[in-house]
Amino acid sequence: MAYITSNEEHPIDIVNIQSLEGRVKAQMDKGAFGYISGGSEDEITLRENTSAFNKKKIVPRVLQGIEKPDLSTQLFEIDLKSPIIEAPSAAQGLSHSKGEVATAIGTAEAGSIFTISTYATTLIGDAVVKNAPQFLQLYLSKDEGFNQYILEEAVKAGVKAIVLTADSTLGGYREADIVNQFQFPIPMKNLAAYSEKDGRGDGEGKGIAEIYAAAKQAIAPDDIQKVKDLTGLPVIVKGVQSPEDAVVAISAGADGIWVSNHGGRQLDGGPASFDVLPAIASAVAKRVPIIFDSGIRRGEHIFKALASGADVVAIGRPIIYGLNLGGSAGVKSVFDHFNKELTITMQLGGARNIEDVKNTSLL
């Protein structure tokens, strides 16, 4: 039976970002929703990703002469309307019939960067939006032929950087997928295109554990330079959760560090991303940009992440929920709401621009 998902295309009303999850749950296929929303094991790390932000406080500043704070910034000399980018998410066709294409359009309209996953339901080239920056999130395969293939496709598509995912050499123990007996009901187009050459398979009818079975598990520092040599592009290492790993990655040639615990979907019982950010930022010492994700649901969370060492933040599940509820316009609505809350936080916190936010000391 054909998989049926959303065809909505309109802006969405948002009171708060957290409320989107319940709205999506009420209308999405149970297995697909469990795959998107769920974390690993007892989901402790998933919950703490958000609650950890409450440990730090923003001291309001007055008499700063601020009106209409400036949210604009840059990443790798790419101009951004705000310090928010899209975090890569696999199989976006689960959420909307236009999948990654709609997300890419909404992200471009928000003046941000879209990162397409290796496990996308759209070909890399088909999700390109004219004059809009795009990254590729790379899941290294045990098949070196596939690695070369997808990196060549990324270069042809004009992506600006490769996001080397290091924290997903296998999938976390995600109980929602087990209970729902979830299998991907639609193909992953990049796998499908390569499978036409070697029969590797396209992901349809498989669970996440079977998908990860083809992933390279012995990822090592020298993989960073291999990817750079194949593409000539900056490489950002995603999934860094310790200062030691950040130092190793930079020493091996990483051009950026992405602090993330995969939204609580991998190692449960690990720290919240926000809790490890300051120590990682100290170790990085501004040598390369830091991207941060996991648990952001408020503008104040973005402010706190930037004040703790991040250069930009990335949003995952909320964007996928916006995609389901309103297509490309829904994606832009999510960006707009985060920007609205961040603007208010900056005004009341006494920050006239993003550099001021980065120089703010939290209590």
Side-chain angles (χ1 to χ4, degrees), residues 129-186:
V129 178
K130 187 177 180 180
N131 299 323
Q134 180 173 311
F135 294 169
L136 167 70
Q137 180 202 23
L138 175 66
Y139 283 90
L140 280 174
S141 171
K142 292 171 182 170
D143 181 347
E144 291 296 344
F146 177 77
N147 295 332
Q148 183 169 347
Y149 163 78
I150 197 165
L151 289 171
E152 287 175 351
E153 290 299 305
V155 171
K156 280 195 289 185
V159 306
K160 303 298 184 185
I162 305 298
V163 179
L164 175 59
T165 301
D167 66 350
S168 299
T169 53
L170 48 73
Y173 188 74
R174 304 175 193 173
E175 294 185 8
D177 292 346
I178 296 167
V179 171
N180 295 325
Q181 297 182 319
F182 176 72
Q183 294 183 323
F184 290 99
I186 48 180

Side-chain angles (χ1 to χ4, degrees), residues 16-28 33 36-38 43 46 50 297 317-318 320-322 324-325:
N16 62 70
I17 293 295
Q18 191 63 49
S19 67
L20 299 181
E21 185 169 303
R23 291 164 64 181
V24 172
K25 183 178 182 180
Q27 68 180 40
M28 183 181 277
F33 178 78
I36 292 165
S37 65
E43 299 187 337
L46 183 152
T50 297
R297 297 296 182 270
R317 290 183 182 91
I320 302 306
Y321 296 152
N324 176 261
L325 296 168

Side-chain angles (χ1 to χ4, degrees), residues 243 246-247 276-287 290 308-309:
V247 171
V276 299
L277 176 60
I280 293 173
S282 178
V284 171
K286 301 186 184 299
R287 288 177 287 174
I290 293 176
S308 299

